[in-house]
Amino acid sequence: MSATLLKGGPLALRILGSLRGEVARLRKKYGKVPSLANIRIGENYSVSLYEKAQKKRAEDIGVEYRGYHLGEGATQDQMERLIQRLNRDRSITGILVQVPLPKQLDPKRTIYAIDPKKDVEGIHPENLGEGILGKEEYGSCTAIAIMELLKSYRLNLYGKEAVIVGSSDVVGKPTSLMLVDSFATTTICHVATTERGNLEHHVRRAEILVVAVGKPHLIKGNWVQKGAVVVDVGINQFHGRLVGDVEFDQAKGRASYITPVPGGVGPLVPAILMRKLVTNFRRRLENHEL
Ligand code: NAP
């Protein structure tokens, strides 16, 4: 058996196609376009990949993209002053801070500094909290992309054993809540699971396996249950090529569906980001906030 590939590209193109039309319509009606402020700190290979993809997608659909680059040694004060300036700037629709941050910057203080209305990534506590209490679309773009990819292949999650490896605020935690909302029975694994020697045990139980760690081949192919659905979110540079966190070739022979890396969740994330940005812009225009 060889798994069907879960490819994010076709859905991403459909989303972006409809957004292009919507941005043109809003420009015609209101004479304005949405704008994305992207803050990058220092140099990081994966971040530069995300940034490039986001810029390209923004420009493709007529969204204004503004890049801000702080040096590797930027202080918390510098970061917050930049965010406050962008919060006040009425021409900016959404603010995105690329993670991971260097050690001297506090991720929680940084997220709190962003105006929740401009938190296009959806990770401000106010937005996450509203999501848990039932707001229609919440959580990070990556978590939404994972769920939409599963839904676009009409995969049934109801009552399934879902295991997520990685519990970050940006990927693992919001994805686990969304899986619970889809009635999957959900387990989250993290460093302590591995340290206790239990990672393999949980992965073997998974009918739906989502891995978001950032360690090449952490998940051995022969741990994957026959017929499982595998979503590999990890992006790693390994011997000069991009790989995920799962041993793809071995896992592909056991899974029923699996994401390729690259080409799985990755292409969908900037499309979801653009959709959130355009939706936010339209709602605020309609409410006369802009
Ligand atoms: P992160 O903030 O570094 O979180 C990694 C998570 O993995 C943490 O919860 C950590 O556990 C856990 N972990 C680390 N080592 C582990 C181990 N040996 N066993 C089990 N769990 C372990 O990373 P992230 O932002 O969630 O991103 C994860 C990966 O997804 C990265 O490769 C990133 O590049 C990729 N990513 C891809 C996209 C995309 O567009 N495709 C988007 C976002 C992220 P503790 O919390 O216990 O430390």
Side-chain angles (χ1 to χ4, degrees):
M1 185 174 79
S2 186
T4 302
L5 295 183
L6 293 169
K7 293 185 180 177
L11 178 57
L13 286 179
R14 285 202 295 280
I15 293 172
L16 291 164
S18 81
L19 290 176
R20 194 174 297 116
E22 186 165 6
V23 171
R25 187 182 66 76
L26 292 171
R27 188 196 302 117
K28 199 166 165 201
K29 185 166 178 191
Y30 296 99
K32 292 176 181 172
V33 293
S35 67
L36 176 67
N38 181 78
I39 305 178
R40 174 164 63 92
I41 306 94
E43 301 300 333
N44 174 300
Y45 177 72
S46 330
V47 167
S48 68
L49 285 185
Y50 302 145
E51 198 188 13
K52 220 186 267 174
Q54 285 153 0
K55 184 169 189 288
K56 180 163 180 354
R57 296 299 172 240
E59 289 171 354
D60 280 354
I61 62 165
V63 161
E64 191 191 333
Y65 180 92
R66 298 193 208 163
Y68 297 84
H69 188 200
L70 295 175
E72 187 69 42
T75 62
Q76 187 68 35
D77 194 42
Q78 280 173 316
M79 170 66 103
E80 288 182 27
R81 266 189 286 138
L82 173 58
I83 293 174
Q84 296 305 345
R85 178 156 67 84
L86 298 172
N87 283 344
R88 285 191 302 271
D89 185 339
R90 286 171 64 87
S91 69
I92 300 281
T93 314
I95 302 170
L96 186 67
V97 178
Q98 299 287 348
V99 291
L101 298 175
K103 282 197 178 57
Q104 75 278 12
L105 297 180
D106 179 343
K108 289 209 164 55
R109 277 184 60 187
T110 304
I111 292 165
Y112 269 100
I114 300 174
D115 177 345
K117 285 191 178 153
K118 296 193 177 188
D119 163 39
V120 68
E121 178 61 297
I123 53 172
H124 189 284
E126 196 174 306
N127 294 327
L128 277 178
E130 282 186 8
I132 291 167
L133 296 179
K135 192 175 171 184
E136 197 183 300
E137 184 166 88
Y138 72 97
S140 71
C141 299
T142 309
I144 296 171
I146 293 167
M147 298 306 292
E148 294 214 2
L149 186 61
L150 293 171
K151 281 183 195 145
S152 74
Y153 281 81
R154 300 183 191 284
L155 296 170
N156 180 20
L157 304 176
Y158 195 85
K160 292 286 168 73
E161 289 295 326
V163 174
I164 301 173
V165 187
S167 60
S168 69
D169 293 344
V170 179
V171 189
K173 280 183 198 160
T175 307
S176 70
L177 290 172
M178 292 175 191
L179 285 165
V180 170
D181 281 345
S182 297
F183 295 99
T185 304
T186 305
T187 303
I188 311 181
C189 302
H190 38 66
V191 161
T193 317
T194 301
E195 282 174 3
R196 221 187 141 195
N198 284 343
L199 185 62
E200 177 179 348
H201 163 74
H202 288 291
V203 169
R204 283 188 183 277
R205 289 193 307 104
E207 294 174 285
I208 311 288
L209 176 67
V210 178
V211 188
V213 171
K215 297 217 161 110
H217 303 157
L218 173 71
I219 306 299
K220 304 301 164 214
N222 65 3
W223 297 358
V224 169
Q225 188 183 125
K226 285 218 164 104
V229 174
V230 179
V231 178
D232 189 353
V233 189
I235 299 180
N236 309 288
Q237 246 189 325
F238 187 68
H239 298 312
R241 61 192 185 103
L242 278 189
V243 300
D245 294 339
V246 179
E247 279 184 344
F248 180 79
D249 290 338
Q250 298 82 340
K252 198 171 106 188
R254 299 175 64 84
S256 56
Y257 291 84
I258 188 167
T259 51
V261 177
V265 177
L268 254 185
V269 177
I272 302 288
L273 176 75
M274 293 305 140
R275 191 177 69 195
K276 281 179 135 193
L277 187 84
V278 174
T279 306
N280 173 317
F281 180 69
R282 177 175 40 76
R283 286 196 184 136
R284 288 165 64 200
L285 279 173
E286 287 166 357
N287 291 338
H288 307 289
E289 291 175 31
L290 296 176

